[in-house]
């Protein structure tokens, strides 16, 4: 039985999934941490993801230490992880992540990277293997579906990759953790959505103290 | 005891509170109803407000006929109406509304219109009186507060007027009915929000089958 293709992101109330970009390498360069743009980026990112960082599942999975919250937000993170049998991501998300994930990358499944770069599979400790797919988003999804078997495929990101899949009619369902913050600028999730062809069916809407978790099924109009 | 200043709008999941504009007079001209832009505007508006139109309170208040739904969405509309002791609106909302409201305008309270036009108060049957305020948004709010006594003041719209009040730090609380629809284009609520000075505190988040009703308190950063 084939699983679903889904995505799951945190979004500000005004529709942003990331602050105005700064060079990715600056975020991981110690001497850049006092740069005003880097500080602004980090502060906004922390606010957007404030429902994630304190959670026990997140901390354990990223090797950030023991302990953490164990309420509904934690359950949602764990459930999202457990339903995912394989992930698909764009090249830019992979490049940024490669600088920030621990050696034991946090996926623990196959990950299919849509890229023009030809490269052999890259196996990490802990069960994550990155596969580099050179012939488009549909092929990457097909390969991910096969790898996921009866579990679901997560379109992990970034925003442009998610929108390509959504506009191509290849997303079955998505979840948004709506954070109580306004960005005013940054990367919008739904810019360039093909609104005339995407219809939404509300599946669930669940509030925690930190976010409102919205899930929609996607249909073609 | 002074009430709160609040606004309450319907918003698409991608942040729009109105479709891409068409000339207001076209919406109310019978021979324009088959114009593709008018049809598109109407279809999007109906989807955005689909949680409102079937409700008994809305139908009775707009004199659209008896009957209608009486669930939580209906209660939310009635509660919003009952808490409102006076409204403030911009000139464009007033001009558009004057073409669409029934003679018994649906406010049944004083309404303060922020405008450069000098005009005597306009009293309508049913308790609505429009007052035309020529010296800015703060004066309009002061007058509305006094008229509302211990009830709340609703910043009724449109979007630009709401944002002026929000950015000026004059909004205490707001509610958004998040509709399960993507617009892709139109009038965004939070474009030009002064995100660096507006902090949100989640008050409530309540899902119905038709929308997710989000309420936030506003604080200065």
């Amino acid at each position: 039985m084939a699983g679903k293709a889904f995505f799951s992101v945190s979004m500000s109330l005004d529709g942003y999934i990331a602050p105005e970009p700064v060079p990715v390498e600056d975020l991981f360069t110690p001497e850049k941490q006092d740069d005003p743009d880097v500080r602004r980026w980090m502060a906004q990112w922390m606010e957007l993801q404030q429902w994630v960082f304190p959670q026990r599942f997140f901390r354990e999975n990223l090797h950030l230490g023991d302990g953490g919250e164990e309420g509904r937000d934690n359950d949602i993170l764990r459930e999202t992880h457990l339903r995912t049998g394989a992930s698909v991501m764009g090249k830019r998300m992979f490049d940024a992540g490669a600088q920030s994930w621990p050696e034991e990358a946090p996926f623990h499944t196959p990950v299919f990277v849509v890229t023009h770069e030809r490269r052999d599979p890259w196996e990490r400790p802990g069960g994550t293997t990155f596969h580099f797919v050179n012939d488009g988003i549909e092929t990457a999804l097909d390969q991910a579906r096969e790898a996921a078997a009866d579990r679901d495929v997560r379109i992990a990101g970034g925003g442009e990759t998610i929108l390509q899949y959504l506009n191509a009619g290849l997303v079955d369902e998505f979840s948004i953790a709506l954070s109580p913050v306004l960005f005013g600028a940054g990367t919008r999730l739904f810019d360039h959505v093909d609104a005339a062809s995407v219809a939404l069916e509300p599946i669930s809407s669940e509030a925690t103290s930190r976010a409102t978790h919205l899930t929609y099924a996607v249909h073609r109009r």
Side-chain angles (χ1 to χ4, degrees), chain A residues 6 8 75-84 154 175:
Chain A
F6 77 102
S8 178
D75 291 345
I76 287 169
L77 287 174
R78 193 186 330 100
E79 288 162 12
T80 303
H81 184 81
L82 291 175
R83 71 184 283 195
T84 303
R154 180 175 184 172
S175 295

Side-chain angles (χ1 to χ4, degrees), chain A residues 19-205:
Chain A
E20 274 194 293
V22 296
V24 166
E25 59 273 18
D26 287 4
L27 297 175
F28 305 107
T29 304
E31 53 268 35
K32 292 275 191 179
Q33 298 310 298
D34 285 332
D35 179 273
D37 284 341
V38 170
R39 290 170 69 107
R40 189 254 315 145
W41 195 99
M42 282 291 186
Q44 288 190 311
W45 184 251
M46 295 297 284
E47 284 198 331
L48 183 68
Q49 306 288 357
Q50 50 79 37
W51 73 276
V52 172
F53 294 130
Q55 306 307 323
R56 183 184 183 103
F57 177 82
F58 175 81
R59 294 175 51 79
E60 288 179 352
N61 199 32
L62 271 296
H63 299 285
L64 300 176
D66 293 333
E69 292 184 13
E70 297 185 48
R72 192 64 193 113
D73 288 315
N74 191 55
D75 291 345
I76 287 169
L77 287 174
R78 193 186 330 100
E79 288 162 12
T80 303
H81 184 81
L82 291 175
R83 71 184 283 195
T84 303
S87 291
V88 173
M89 68 179 60
K91 178 62 158 52
R92 266 184 287 181
M93 178 173 177
F94 170 77
D95 286 343
Q99 296 184 58
S100 64
W101 296 316
E103 191 184 359
E104 189 178 312
F107 301 95
H108 311 293
T109 64
V111 176
F112 296 85
V113 182
V114 182
T115 176
H116 296 293
E117 185 190 0
R118 296 184 175 276
R119 180 170 167 182
D120 289 333
W122 187 39
E123 194 174 329
R124 310 303 297 145
T128 302
T129 300
F130 294 97
H131 301 271
F132 301 89
V133 181
N134 304 131
D135 43 1
I137 64 171
E138 292 203 40
T139 300
L141 180 57
D142 288 344
Q143 293 183 12
R145 276 193 203 281
E146 195 173 325
D150 59 350
R151 284 194 289 166
D152 296 331
V153 173
R154 180 175 184 172
I155 313 298
E160 278 184 39
T161 301
I162 287 173
L163 257 280
Q164 283 177 23
Y165 278 100
L166 185 62
N167 285 342
L170 297 171
V171 173
D172 300 305
E173 192 178 290
F174 65 83
S175 295
I176 288 178
L178 198 66
S179 287
V181 59
L182 296 169
F183 271 19
T187 303
R188 282 203 177 91
L189 176 57
F190 289 114
D191 261 2
H192 312 302
V193 68
D194 180 6
S197 71
V198 176
L200 306 181
E201 175 197 352
I203 299 294
S204 67
S205 172

